[in-house]
């Protein structure tokens, strides 16, 4: 495990208690408990359809809880308003939207919560440049996002989240479909954030290059927590406690994310 600065680890950044949620008529979360404390890096692991993505979507308010309690930074979810403290990188999306935009413009959108009337100040522009450099996209800042590879798209989306200088960074399968070279770049970017004290919640299928950064693994199976503790020593889905060897994505995992806060 890589060394980190001392943290006030007694402060829950995310507290999910007895959380249940359904997509359509199908129960997906079945009373899960999840606590992420300040400075921790927690990986949500499990087979496809286990409820990992639904859990993080519930944390950012994209999936309503049918029962249970959620608080962020010690504030009950329904009263929480300080979304600029959270950076979110959703699953299976791209930086391109059909509208011509440069890499810098997309990343700059991550600063909007910190601006007045969308006007970027000197500090905002500096944060954007830092985020671009963290994901090694500074040299492509003026390129069109429509000309990027899949791995570069992912780097831009992560830079957009990092530009907001979040205290909590939530990423849903950030390494999915990304080649090894881009995975290493993303791992280095995350390493810098963790060293600076950022709290991180990751949805992963396997730990890969991120393994040295992970403090704790929470394994889900059929919407229930089956393991909460040190990451499994062997990597990959087959090593997970309770792995059922079912790999195709279920319908609810393939459902597109809504555009909203933090997206």
């Amino acid at each position: 495990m890589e060394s980190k600065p001392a943290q006030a680890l007694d402060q829950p950044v995310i507290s999910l208690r007895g959380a249940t949620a359904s997509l359509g008529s199908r129960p997906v979360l079945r009373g899960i408990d999840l606590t992420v404390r300040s400075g921790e890096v927690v990986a949500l692991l499990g087979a496809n359809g286990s409820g990992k993505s639904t859990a993080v979507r519930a944390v950012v308010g994209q999936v309503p809880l049918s029962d249970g309690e959620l608080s962020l930074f010690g504030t009950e979810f329904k009263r929480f308003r300080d979304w600029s403290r959270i950076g979110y990188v959703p699953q299976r999306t791209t930086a391109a939207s059909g509208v011509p935009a440069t890499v810098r413009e997309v990343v700059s959108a991550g600063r909007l919560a910190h601006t007045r009337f969308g006007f970027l100040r000197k500090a905002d522009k500096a944060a954007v440049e830092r985020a671009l450099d963290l994901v090694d996209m500074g040299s492509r800042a003026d390129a069109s996002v429509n000309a990027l590879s899949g791995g570069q798209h992912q780097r831009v989306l992560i830079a957009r989240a990092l530009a907001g200088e979040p205290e909590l960074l939530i990423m849903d399968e950030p390494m999915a479909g990304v080649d090894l070279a881009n995975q290493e770049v993303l791992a280095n970017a995350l390493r810098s954030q963790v060293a600076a004290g950022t709290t991180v919640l990751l949805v992963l299928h396997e730990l890969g290059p991120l393994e040295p950064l992970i403090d704790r693994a929470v394994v889900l199976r059929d919407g229930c927590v089956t393991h909460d503790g040190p990451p499994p020593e062997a990597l990959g889905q087959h090593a997970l406690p309770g792995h059922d060897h079912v790999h195709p994505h279920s319908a609810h995992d393939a459902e597109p994310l809504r555009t909203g806060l933090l997206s």
Side-chain angles (χ1 to χ4, degrees):
M1 182 67 59
E2 299 186 2
S3 61
K4 302 177 192 177
Q7 299 292 333
L9 292 176
D10 57 339
Q11 170 63 59
V13 174
I14 300 171
S15 178
L16 201 57
R17 288 287 173 266
T20 66
S22 299
L23 293 177
S25 60
R26 177 176 178 172
V28 180
L29 302 181
R30 305 170 186 268
I32 72 168
D33 293 340
L34 173 66
T35 299
V36 181
R37 300 187 182 279
S38 178
E40 278 193 306
V41 180
V42 176
L44 274 179
L45 304 173
N48 294 326
S50 60
K52 306 183 305 296
S53 291
T54 299
V56 296
R57 292 173 66 192
V59 169
V60 299
Q62 291 190 340
V63 172
L65 296 181
S66 53
D67 199 6
E69 299 177 354
L70 168 63
S71 64
L72 298 171
F73 295 96
T75 300
E76 188 180 359
F77 179 78
K78 67 181 180 181
R79 296 188 293 110
F80 185 77
R81 299 291 182 272
D82 202 359
W83 291 104
S84 64
R85 300 176 75 179
I86 301 176
Y88 175 48
V89 181
Q91 182 187 35
R92 278 200 290 268
T93 185
T94 69
S97 62
V99 177
T102 66
V103 168
R104 181 180 284 107
E105 288 168 341
V106 171
V107 175
S108 295
R111 289 299 298 181
L112 292 180
H114 297 267
T115 65
R116 296 187 65 183
F117 311 111
F119 178 74
L120 294 182
R121 299 161 298 177
K122 184 177 180 179
D124 299 313
K125 294 177 180 179
V128 169
E129 296 306 315
R130 281 195 299 272
L132 286 166
D133 289 341
L134 274 172
V135 299
D136 198 22
M137 289 295 287
S139 64
R140 302 296 306 276
D142 296 318
S144 168
V145 292
N146 295 309
L148 302 180
S149 68
Q152 289 171 328
H153 275 285
Q154 190 72 342
R155 284 154 64 179
V156 170
L157 291 170
I158 291 173
R160 183 177 67 178
L162 296 180
E165 299 176 315
E167 297 172 51
L168 169 63
L169 180 62
I170 299 174
M171 297 196 289
D172 192 350
E173 297 195 31
M175 301 299 195
V178 177
D179 63 30
L180 184 58
N182 280 298
Q183 286 185 30
E184 293 292 348
V185 170
L186 296 178
N188 287 335
L190 188 58
R191 187 174 294 111
S192 296
Q193 291 302 112
V194 171
T198 304
T199 304
V200 182
L201 176 62
L202 295 156
V203 171
L204 298 172
H205 274 299
E206 56 184 37
L207 302 182
L210 299 181
E211 181 186 9
L213 299 174
I214 305 300
D215 294 309
R216 224 172 80 235
V218 176
V219 180
L220 298 184
R221 176 184 168 91
D222 296 330
C224 300
V225 174
T226 61
H227 172 85
D228 187 340
E233 290 186 8
L235 303 184
Q237 290 190 62
H238 295 281
L240 300 178
H243 174 62
D244 58 6
H245 300 270
V246 175
H247 294 277
H249 283 275
S250 64
H252 75 266
D253 271 344
E255 184 176 307
L257 291 170
R258 299 198 304 271
T259 301
L261 276 171
L262 311 175
S263 63

